Amino acid sequence: MEGTEDILAKAREVQARAHAPYSGFRVGAVLEAHDGAMFLGCNVENASFGLTLCAERGALAAAVAAGHRAFRRLVLVTDGQEAVPPCGACRAVLAEFSPDLPILSVAGKAREEWTLGELHPLPFRLEPSNGFTAGSGPE
Ligand code: THU
C-alpha cells in the first residue's frame, strides 16, 4: 500500500489542476482501488453552476471506467484551513461501491479521518439485477 504522504502528493498535484474559477475552492481526490490502482479527480466548475462536477465523483467515474468497483481509501486535499468531508451527493455515489470507505481529508495543517459509514450511515439501495454487491472488500 502506497504511503499516505505519497498519496497526498498525488492529491495535491490533481488539486492544482482543478477548474474552480467561480468558487476559488480547489479539490483534489485520490481514490485507491483494492489492488492499489489510484484514480484522480478534481472539481470541474461550469458557468452554469449546477453542472459543476465534484472531485470525488470525477475520480470514481475514472475508476469505474477502468474496471474497478471496490476501493480501500479516499484522500482529499482542499483549499482553506479546515478539512472537509465529501458532499452529500458524493457520499451517496461512493456508498454505491464502498459503503465503509476510509476517508482522509487534508487542508493546510488540518487533517481529519472518517469512514463513509459514519458520514452516510443509511444509503439508499435497490436490488441489483445482475448480482452486484457493494462492499469494501476486493471484487
Ligand atoms: N466540491 C467538491 O469537489 N467535492 C465536494 O465533496 C464538495 C464540493 C467542489 C464543488 C465546487 O467546485 C467547490 O467544491 C465549491 O463547492
Side-chain angles (χ1 to χ4, degrees):
M1 191 144 134
E2 206 161 322
T4 300
E5 294 312 313
D6 296 326
I7 298 184
L8 275 170
K10 282 190 169 60
R12 289 194 177 98
E13 271 174 40
V14 68
Q15 182 202 20
R17 297 196 285 270
H19 177 65
Y22 306 109
S23 72
F25 187 76
R26 296 168 308 147
V27 184
V30 177
L31 186 61
E32 189 181 11
H34 261 288
D35 66 355
M38 308 243 189
F39 297 91
L40 310 187
C42 59
N43 51 333
V44 182
E45 296 186 349
N46 190 269
S48 177
F49 297 163
L51 300 181
T52 291
L53 179 69
C54 289
E56 298 90 321
R57 279 179 283 159
L60 183 73
V64 173
H68 293 271
R69 289 171 193 271
F71 305 101
R72 65 184 181 198
R73 170 152 67 156
L74 173 69
V75 174
L76 296 177
V77 172
T78 62
D79 285 327
Q81 297 301 315
E82 214 171 295
V84 297
C87 78
C90 290
R91 294 179 199 191
V93 171
L94 292 163
E96 172 79 11
F97 296 100
S98 294
D100 216 17
L101 185 68
I103 299 168
L104 167 67
S105 183
V106 174
K109 292 192 177 104
R111 271 186 196 213
E112 296 271 0
E113 290 185 72
W114 309 272
T115 67
L116 186 55
E118 288 166 356
L119 299 177
H120 193 63
L122 197 59
F124 172 72
R125 295 216 172 281
L126 286 178
E127 193 61 43
S129 59
N130 66 355
F132 167 71
T133 36
S136 51
E139 290 167 53

